[in-house]
Amino acid sequence: MGPHPAVAAIRLAVRRVLHDLIDEQIPNSRVGTHAAPDSTHGACERPPSPLVLVACSGGADSMALASALAFEAPKLGIRAGGVTVDHGLQPGSGLRADEVVLRLRELGLDPVESIAVTVGREGGPEAAARDARYAALDAAAERHGARAILLGHTRDDQAETVLLGLARGSGIRSLSGMAAVSGAGGRYRRPFLQLDRQTARKACMVQSLPVWDDPHNADPAYTRSRLRHEGLPALEKALGKGVVEALARTAQLSRDDADALDAWASQAETAVRDATGLLECSKLFALPPAVRRRILRRAAIEAGAPAGSLFARHIEELDRLITGWRGQGAINLPGKVVAQRQGGRLVIRQG
């Protein structure tokens, strides 16, 4: 008799990601290697076993992910470890992080560590906590030499991310949600994006895995919490079941489109710059708006505008210097960046 369907589902999702990592490692290990097999051993030296970490808060999603990694990794010759991040935002958070470390070790993961971080205020509490968490995870990956870090985001999380992007009105890229592979060198992997939250929770229950429900996830002070407990249920009540699946599907389709447009913009950017590197307004005008605006956004970021502070309204103002030129003056962008049109060229620089 096989495992419960929920357990089988989470294990399959993790197994697929681990196979991807192995497939990526094998070609890389052969690059530049042309020596004959060692005559003593009769085979090329195998690359060292990669280390994969799981980011675990102790919640159902990440505990299910940790259990699946602990089960699948040894069968593939992969070392498996875990990291939990203590944000210090709740009383007793340090003790709770110690409990998570103990549970991960009981699953057989090694190395395992807890990292305490200081959460700032920039961008709001949710964004600040996320920035601190990813900085800690990046540091842990470097410290342990990890090939990848698995994150427990589910299809439900993806649907919430798409709706948050839609509410910001910041374009198709924001509707593409979270990528299955992201970060420097593809460090972050999200095996559960095609699985719902209930499957992860069921997998924990049938394996008798203790889980911790973060009270912040039910706190209406947080936008994502309100969306989870009020917004999405209201949508499903009004539109019927299947909203989460449809939003997750929208994310993938939007990501494919956004990737294609980004590639087009990268190719077109060289052609619209003059010999000195300045953007030529007439050539920009001839491009489709979606491509042109991507080039403008990239140019603003390269000039020093923080990507997280550069919104659609800023790009629209830049675009008007190309499409609605009436002799208007310079435009101030985040990061003390100034854009102005001079002699048929668009000049973007720090003021």
Side-chain angles (χ1 to χ4, degrees):
M1 182 177 178
H4 186 279
V7 175
I10 64 170
R11 290 176 177 175
L12 176 59
V14 168
R15 191 184 316 140
R16 285 172 172 164
V17 168
L18 296 181
H19 275 295
D20 288 342
L21 290 170
I22 291 172
D23 291 342
E24 293 167 13
Q25 183 188 30
I26 291 174
N28 292 339
S29 68
R30 291 176 179 167
V31 173
T33 302
H34 302 291
D38 186 288
S39 58
T40 303
H41 301 286
C44 292
E45 184 179 347
R46 293 174 59 85
S49 298
L51 171 65
V52 175
L53 300 174
V54 58
C56 185
S57 66
D61 301 341
S62 58
M63 281 302 299
L65 184 58
S67 71
L69 177 64
F71 182 84
E72 294 291 340
K75 298 193 296 181
L76 297 173
I78 292 176
R79 294 179 295 134
V83 179
T84 187
V85 177
D86 174 16
H87 298 85
L89 298 177
Q90 301 173 36
S93 63
L95 292 175
R96 194 170 300 111
D98 292 341
E99 292 175 1
V100 174
V101 166
L102 180 61
R103 292 171 188 170
L104 294 179
R105 286 179 176 153
E106 289 174 345
L107 288 172
L109 300 183
D110 182 53
V112 173
E113 71 170 318
S114 169
I115 305 173
V117 299
T118 300
V119 177
R121 296 184 177 183
E122 186 174 353
E126 292 168 284
R130 182 175 60 250
D131 290 344
R133 180 168 59 253
Y134 278 101
L137 293 175
D138 282 334
E142 295 292 339
R143 188 164 53 251
H144 294 290
R147 173 65 187 85
I149 298 178
L150 305 189
L151 304 175
H153 298 118
T154 65
R155 187 169 62 194
D156 300 80
D157 296 307
Q158 186 75 298
E160 293 162 8
T161 302
V162 172
L163 284 176
L164 289 170
L166 183 63
R168 287 193 299 268
S170 46
I172 193 171
R173 177 57 72 185
S174 68
L175 298 183
S176 63
M178 296 173 286
V181 179
S182 65
R187 169 175 290 163
Y188 294 107
R189 309 288 170 124
R190 297 177 173 86
F192 287 177
L193 285 183
Q194 301 300 319
L195 300 179
D196 60 28
R197 190 174 289 140
Q198 193 58 39
T199 296
R201 184 168 289 276
K202 185 70 174 179
C204 288
M205 186 181 71
V206 299
Q207 295 180 100
S208 300
L209 293 175
V211 300
W212 171 65
D213 290 317
D214 186 347
H216 282 175
N217 290 335
D219 188 344
Y222 295 95
T223 304
R224 186 178 286 269
S225 176
R226 294 195 300 273
L227 179 59
R228 180 175 301 177
H229 297 288
E230 301 173 23
L232 269 173
L235 280 175
E236 292 205 327
K237 182 177 180 180
L239 302 176
K241 294 294 183 181
V243 170
V244 168
E245 293 86 344
L247 288 169
R249 189 163 56 250
T250 296
Q252 184 56 59
L253 294 172
S254 298
R255 179 166 297 279
D256 292 343
D257 290 349
D259 288 346
L261 287 168
D262 285 347
W264 186 354
S266 295
Q267 294 171 359
E269 184 172 0
T270 302
V272 299
R273 289 188 181 272
D274 65 14
T276 65
L278 294 177
L279 294 167
E280 297 187 55
C281 297
S282 60
K283 292 181 178 179
L284 282 169
F285 183 85
L287 291 173
V291 177
R292 181 175 61 247
R293 288 170 184 162
R294 277 168 165 75
I295 295 174
L296 295 176
R297 176 180 173 80
R298 188 174 304 168
I301 293 171
E302 289 175 354
S309 302
L310 201 59
F311 301 127
R313 66 177 184 273
H314 298 126
I315 306 305
E316 289 169 1
E317 287 292 322
L318 276 178
D319 200 38
R320 274 193 281 273
L321 292 177
I322 308 299
T323 62
W325 176 241
R326 297 292 185 273
Q328 58 264 47
I331 295 172
N332 294 315
L333 299 172
K336 298 182 180 179
V337 172
V338 176
Q340 56 187 339
R341 181 165 171 159
Q342 295 178 340
R345 304 294 192 269
L346 187 65
V347 180
I348 306 176
R349 59 171 180 252
Q350 284 199 315

